[in-house]
Amino acid sequence: MVRVSTDKQKTQRQHDALDPICLKVFEEKISGNLATDDRPTLLEALSYLRDGDMLTVQEVDRLRRNLLEGLIVLNDLFQRDIAVKALEGIAAGEHTERSLILDLALALSEGRRRDIVRKTKNGLEAARRRGRVGGRPPVVDDDKRAAILARRQRGESIRTLAAGVGVVHKTLTDAKDS
């Protein structure tokens, strides 16, 4: 199982480690913090596995970044007689049952995720206090903004505007605020 959180992140390192030793590699680009039911590729991988199989991941946090959900996934696998192998990290090795080291690896992963979120939030707040606004640059220039507002005033629906122009909601919301 290969996982990264965003489309911009690369999976090659994980593929380099897993492709030579796995019969099938499932890849997803989605947050490991989402509920298992919100991760279709993880669900596909879990349903693909049969008794006696082994799920291999680079590190345990590729499976889950949430302690409780991770424990549920691991318990389910172990009850189905499916082993878990982590290639790196403190839980490196093959596991056929829950252990303190697996629990600890998941707990540390959740803690690292919480730290990343906190540090990102703190950095954005500090930048705002200095007058900088984070995020992508606006895609609507002044000419496009004027065209959107004029078409809306003529009674065009938001759906029609969006189909023709793309981004509309933020332009209209910003116009109401000013």
Side-chain angles (χ1 to χ4, degrees):
M1 178 83 201
V2 169
R3 184 193 62 77
V4 291
S5 297
T6 69
D7 286 334
K8 293 179 181 178
Q9 292 176 309
K10 306 288 186 228
T11 59
Q12 193 57 53
R13 179 182 71 92
Q14 293 178 62
H15 275 289
D16 289 346
L18 296 177
D19 289 348
I21 61 173
C22 295
L23 295 175
K24 184 169 178 76
V25 176
F26 293 85
E27 177 182 317
E28 67 181 351
K29 293 188 175 189
I30 195 167
S31 173
N33 208 35
L34 291 176
T36 303
D37 290 342
D38 295 330
R39 294 179 55 195
T41 305
L42 175 61
L43 292 174
E44 182 184 354
L46 295 176
S47 68
Y48 177 82
L49 295 164
R50 300 291 176 251
D51 291 355
D53 284 350
M54 179 181 296
L55 176 67
T56 304
V57 291
Q58 185 88 27
E59 288 187 65
V60 175
D61 68 352
R62 300 298 86 200
L63 189 58
R64 294 295 321 184
R65 281 238 172 165
N66 173 295
L67 177 60
L68 180 58
E69 292 266 345
L71 293 174
I72 291 169
V73 169
L74 289 174
N75 279 334
D76 176 58
L77 291 170
F78 296 146
Q79 286 176 0
R80 293 171 46 204
D81 193 31
I82 296 169
V84 174
K85 181 176 184 176
L87 300 178
E88 297 176 6
I90 64 168
E94 295 182 13
H95 306 274
T96 57
E97 59 186 21
R98 273 200 47 211
S99 65
L100 178 61
I101 201 72
L102 275 174
D103 294 0
L104 183 58
L106 287 168
L108 289 171
S109 174
E110 182 176 341
R112 281 193 305 266
R113 177 71 186 132
R114 199 173 22 249
D115 285 346
I116 290 167
V117 168
R118 181 182 48 80
K119 287 175 183 178
T120 300
K121 183 180 174 189
N122 289 346
L124 290 171
E125 287 173 1
R128 275 190 219 103
R129 284 192 300 272
R130 290 189 309 271
R132 298 186 63 202
V133 180
R136 297 183 320 192
V139 295
V140 178
D141 60 22
D142 290 338
D143 291 338
K144 191 181 274 189
R145 182 177 189 279
I148 290 170
L149 296 175
R151 289 174 62 184
R152 182 67 175 150
Q153 282 182 332
R154 287 193 303 262
E156 285 191 47
S157 71
I158 292 175
R159 183 171 297 189
T160 302
L161 286 170
V165 181
V167 285
V168 172
H169 184 266
K170 182 163 174 47
T171 301
L172 295 175
T173 304
D174 290 348
K176 285 181 187 175
D177 294 339
S178 44

